[in-house]
Amino acid sequence: MSLTSQNAAQARSSISEKVDLDELCINTIRTLSMDAVQKANSGHPGTPMALAPVAYALWQQFLRYDPKEPTWPNRDRFVLSNGHASMLLYSLIHLAGVQAKGGPALSLDDIKQFRQLDSKCPGHPEYGLTVGVETTTGPLGQGCGNSVGMAIASRWLAEHFNRPGFALFDYDVYTLCGDGDMMEGISNEAASLAGHLKLGNLCWIYDNNGITIEGHTSLAFGDDMAMRFRAYGWHVEHVKDANDIEALDKAFAGFCSRTDAPTFIIVDSHIGFGSPNRQDTAAAHGEALGAEEVRLTKRNYGWPEDAQFLVPDGVRKHFDDGIGQRGAKHRQDWQKLMTAYRAEHPKEAGDLEQMLAGKVPAGWDADLPKFAADAKGIASRDSSAKVINAFAPRYPAFVGGSADLAPSTKTRLTFEGAGDLEPGTLGGRNMHFGIREHAMGAVVNGMTLSGVRASGSTFLIFSDYMKNPIRLAALMDLPAIHVFTHDSIGLGEDGPTHQSIEQLAGLRAIPRLVTLRPGDANEVVEAWRVIVGLKHQPACLVLTRQALPTLDRTRYASAAGVARGAYVLADAKPGTPEVILIGTGSEVGLCVEAYETLAREGVAARIVSMPSWDLFEAQDEAYRDSVLPPDVTARVSVEAASPVGWDRYVGRDGAKIAMFGFGGSAPAKDLFKKFGFTPDKVIAAAKQQLAKSRKRT
């Protein structure tokens, strides 16, 4: 039975008199987390109970963060990589008084709605939904990767905008992580990259509680974490008791005093701390403690056993006196510095403000190339290289990189002054992720969250390593960019291990992700025009290794149709088409060859180039019907990838020239012939469709 308002007030007052404010604040974090999980009968109470002192010490004494202005550019970032402990973060946001437009980011009523429909306190933290959440976390290790991107961005911004006497950017990035994060491969990739880059502004705090869902970590995990991170080039600290505030302060102070390498703080903790029957057990990890266990635990804390969602008197003020006042001063000092910077460096200030607002510079596309008709053509990876090197000098926020594949993906920025982002020159425009695709995706997200327009690249087949960060970018409405080349069996001799078949279908299945597979060099230009203009959607650009004919745009429609996802490239002359050929990427040229033959034979055909399903589906019905008239049922799709999904455009009885298995190791021309990607096959399929259509009518 809950306390009445009067009893609750008495409890707030009396408990404040019995314990010091630090302990009171820590136990408030613990009990809010326990109560929210218990009310929802769902969640992870054990980690917030264990890490409350760690998070409290960090926020109250070290984090340069103003709860009243939670998005000021030089704030320290706090990332909860072990996102299942979300109630720890929600409790901090509430008690610190983080503000959103119109009021508190999280009220006590919001916390009471933990894990409920439309709540601002979902099961795992979501960027954009809850002010104070710096990135969406949950899939373990993703926050670790994001934090590396954020730390890189801090150093990159400093290199570009700091001037003598104007240290605009020097923020640090703190990440809470656990055993699950450390076991996932992405954390190894991200830690290796961070150590190599000597990111002295990055601190990971490792919750060493020895418990996972199945039981003790000794079942599957025995790494010497200190040795592992020293091998990565990190400083390592060890706090042997998560409740030792003095030791925590010393470890955090040590991090703040160093700039030559990232810091890894191992904190020994007890999951479910204070619970008489659940502490140090797997049962404390992923389920509510139970009403009786909650009461017993509160008794151990010296807490009113039946009080629920209790915030004792003095707790909020203590947070305000700590992180609130300290953070406000940091922010105010920065704003004064920025005012002086504007006066002394007006151009740089304007560039910075435009960049942080996510705006693209006027005239960024002034030098975009136009490709003349060419039957021999150019690989779309090569035309893309020309495009990015045309716009990147005019778009300073754009940073490109690859997973050790820039010579193959053609994503290197070659203009004068582009430079390499590497130890000692963290302001370079060319990022070297190493052979670390999974970390690359998460790092790109972290950089993009920080205002840098980052791009990563690899082969399309390796997008499978990156599905989590790509999906999370879509969930966050984040305009991250990925360039994927070697997009089909057309890559040839490397064989089926490298030939993407099902990857396009997988990417297209991700909501809010824009996937583009352009059909010639001018479509590549327009695809980049779309990508650069995106503000709230990530993009995947899918390109070829082999040359594609550059279409004569005086004979065929303008490539500007790419912006609408699909467009009529060539139509029946005169009259209404009887059959529609739909192609993407390298298969558009194949459709053009078939169309020309059909036209000579008197067949009324239409070619639809469909570089992006996502953009096409965003168009209104009238436009979609104008491109694919519902009454023209004779249709053929041509794409050297899985046929999954093409039924929506060709219908149940439509023809799909696609890959129904894996590829092979041979020259591209031999593979295309073997698997039916020839003009003759397209023509035959079109005629069969036309015959079926005429028979039905």
Side-chain angles (χ1 to χ4, degrees):
M1 179 175 163
S2 300
L3 296 177
T4 64
S5 298
Q6 181 178 2
N7 287 341
Q10 291 173 349
R12 286 195 298 271
S13 177
S14 62
I15 195 172
S16 301
E17 298 170 359
K18 293 178 181 178
V19 297
D20 67 65
L21 280 172
D22 288 340
E23 183 181 351
L24 189 66
C25 292
I26 290 166
N27 285 338
T28 303
I29 294 169
R30 285 169 167 153
T31 55
L32 283 178
S33 301
M34 290 160 51
D35 286 343
V37 172
Q38 187 60 39
K39 184 175 185 295
N41 196 29
S42 174
H44 301 74
T47 300
M49 295 161 69
L51 294 184
V54 180
Y56 170 77
L58 173 60
W59 279 53
Q60 188 71 340
Q61 298 296 332
F62 293 93
L63 196 70
R64 294 175 295 175
Y65 181 87
D66 184 2
K68 301 298 189 292
E69 295 285 344
T71 60
W72 67 285
N74 199 40
R75 69 192 181 279
D76 286 347
R77 270 61 167 181
F78 175 78
V79 175
L80 187 72
S81 190
N82 46 350
H84 55 272
S86 56
M87 267 312 307
L88 176 66
L89 179 54
Y90 300 149
S91 297
L92 289 165
I93 290 171
H94 172 69
L95 296 174
V98 175
Q99 295 295 300
K101 290 181 180 178
L106 289 177
S107 68
L108 205 55
D109 285 338
D110 290 325
I111 286 180
K112 291 176 182 178
Q113 292 302 304
F114 176 61
R115 289 190 167 222
Q116 304 308 298
L117 185 64
D118 298 327
S119 170
K120 288 193 286 185
C121 295
H124 293 82
E126 295 183 29
Y127 171 80
L129 176 66
T130 312
V131 174
V133 172
E134 298 283 6
T135 182
T136 298
T137 56
L140 291 170
Q142 291 297 318
C144 292
N146 295 162
S147 71
V148 174
M150 293 173 180
I152 292 170
S154 175
R155 292 290 177 84
W156 190 93
L157 290 164
E159 290 273 347
H160 283 267
F161 294 104
N162 287 7
R163 296 293 183 271
F166 293 96
L168 287 186
F169 291 99
D170 60 358
Y171 66 80
D172 295 325
V173 183
Y174 296 89
T175 305
L176 277 184
C177 48
D179 292 306
D181 294 288
M182 293 301 101
M183 289 188 223
E184 291 286 1
I186 184 174
S187 68
N188 297 266
E189 295 180 20
S192 174
L193 179 61
H196 174 73
L197 293 175
K198 303 183 185 304
L199 297 177
N201 59 341
L202 177 65
C203 179
W204 287 4
I205 306 146
Y206 166 49
D207 175 26
N208 183 34
N209 63 45
I211 297 294
T212 57
I213 290 175
E214 291 187 355
H216 197 275
T217 51
S218 61
L219 289 168
F221 187 57
D223 294 14
D224 185 324
M225 299 302 294
M227 288 184 66
R228 181 170 134 187
F229 274 78
R230 287 191 183 104
Y232 288 143
W234 291 52
H235 291 290
V236 177
E237 301 274 356
H238 193 172
V239 176
K240 296 183 179 180
D241 180 1
N243 295 295
D244 187 343
I245 297 295
E246 185 177 344
L248 289 165
D249 287 351
K250 184 178 178 181
F252 291 136
F255 161 67
C256 293
S257 70
R258 292 187 292 264
T259 60
D260 60 333
T263 294
F264 187 70
I265 302 176
I266 301 170
V267 180
D268 296 342
S269 74
H270 296 280
I271 194 168
F273 177 80
S275 171
N277 300 300
R278 297 289 185 89
Q279 179 175 310
D280 296 327
T281 70
H285 173 80
E287 60 187 54
L289 296 177
E292 180 59 23
E293 191 69 13
V294 167
R295 282 193 290 270
L296 294 173
T297 305
K298 288 177 178 176
R299 182 187 300 170
N300 277 350
Y301 296 157
W303 207 259
E305 295 177 24
D306 291 322
Q308 295 180 6
F309 299 99
L310 172 63
V311 180
D313 290 339
V315 168
R316 292 189 180 91
K317 183 179 186 305
H318 189 56
F319 271 98
D320 186 60
D321 290 343
I323 186 173
Q325 298 303 313
R326 184 170 46 78
K329 186 178 187 310
H330 280 299
R331 189 256 308 166
Q332 290 161 4
D333 289 346
W334 186 87
Q335 289 179 327
K336 290 176 184 176
L337 189 69
M338 187 65 198
T339 298
Y341 184 84
R342 286 192 195 97
E344 192 161 335
H345 303 284
K347 181 185 182 303
E348 289 86 348
D351 291 345
L352 173 60
E353 289 170 341
Q354 183 178 62
M355 177 180 173
L356 294 179
K359 295 180 180 178
V360 179
W364 72 272
D365 56 350
D367 300 324
L368 292 183
K370 295 180 180 178
F371 293 90
D374 182 357
K376 182 179 178 182
I378 181 174
S380 55
R381 64 172 177 169
D382 290 310
S383 54
S384 175
K386 295 179 183 296
V387 175
I388 61 174
N389 277 286
F391 76 71
R394 292 177 172 271
Y395 190 10
F398 181 81
V399 175
S402 82
D404 194 54
L405 286 171
S408 295
T409 60
K410 308 294 185 180
T411 47
R412 182 168 178 79
L413 301 177
T414 57
F415 59 88
E416 185 177 355
D420 292 291
L421 197 160
E422 55 187 346
T425 58
L426 292 174
R429 302 279 298 277
N430 286 293
M431 180 77 190
H432 299 276
F433 294 99
I435 307 165
R436 304 182 181 100
E437 280 89 356
H438 198 174
M440 178 173 72
V443 169
V444 165
N445 284 351
M447 295 174 73
T448 307
L449 283 162
S450 307
V452 179
R453 194 71 189 277
S455 170
S457 67
T458 185
F459 295 167
L460 180 58
I461 193 72
F462 302 139
S463 66
D464 285 342
Y465 290 140
M466 304 170 59
K467 284 296 173 60
N468 256 326
I470 292 172
R471 183 178 185 274
L472 288 171
L475 186 59
M476 289 189 275
D477 296 334
L478 193 65
I481 302 169
H482 293 288
V483 177
F484 295 125
T485 66
H486 295 59
D487 68 341
S488 73
I489 60 172
L491 66 88
E493 292 85 350
D494 274 345
T497 61
H498 282 53
Q499 292 166 2
S500 54
I501 301 298
E502 72 279 12
Q503 283 66 34
L504 276 170
L507 292 172
R508 287 167 176 160
I510 299 174
R512 301 204 290 267
L513 173 66
V514 175
T515 301
L516 293 127
R517 188 173 184 243
D520 79 342
N522 288 303
E523 283 200 357
V524 170
V525 174
E526 298 306 319
W528 271 113
R529 197 186 299 276
V530 167
I531 290 167
V532 171
L534 294 173
K535 294 183 181 301
H536 304 293
Q537 290 175 278
C540 292
L541 181 62
V542 180
L543 304 171
T544 67
R545 175 180 182 265
Q546 75 275 20
L548 307 180
T550 304
L551 300 177
D552 182 351
R553 295 292 169 168
T554 65
R555 294 190 61 211
Y556 301 102
S558 166
V562 168
R564 306 193 78 170
Y567 65 104
V568 177
L569 182 64
D571 213 354
K573 300 176 182 178
T576 303
E578 296 179 290
V579 62
I580 300 175
L581 310 178
I582 312 170
T584 80
S586 52
E587 287 69 68
V588 171
L590 188 58
C591 290
V592 169
E593 290 186 65
Y595 165 85
E596 295 292 355
T597 299
L598 290 169
R600 287 194 295 270
E601 294 179 2
V603 176
R606 167 180 288 186
I607 312 172
V608 170
S609 177
M610 187 177 281
S612 175
W613 291 15
D614 317 285
L615 294 175
F616 185 60
E617 290 301 321
Q619 307 305 310
D620 59 42
E621 185 178 8
Y623 178 76
R624 296 198 307 272
D625 286 351
S626 73
V627 175
L628 298 174
D631 57 348
V632 182
T633 59
R635 301 181 183 185
V636 181
S637 66
V638 191
E639 185 173 67
S642 168
V644 172
W646 275 109
D647 305 72
R648 73 193 304 179
Y649 298 121
V650 301
R652 185 181 63 184
D653 298 323
K656 297 183 285 290
I657 298 177
M659 290 297 296
F660 295 88
F662 296 107
S665 179
K669 59 181 176 54
D670 296 333
L671 292 170
F672 280 125
K673 182 176 180 180
K674 172 180 173 63
F675 291 105
F677 295 95
T678 65
D680 288 345
K681 291 288 187 180
V682 177
I683 291 165
K687 290 179 176 179
Q688 289 171 0
Q689 284 292 298
L690 193 52
K692 284 183 183 179
S693 175
R694 288 171 176 168
K695 186 176 181 180
R696 285 194 293 268
T697 58

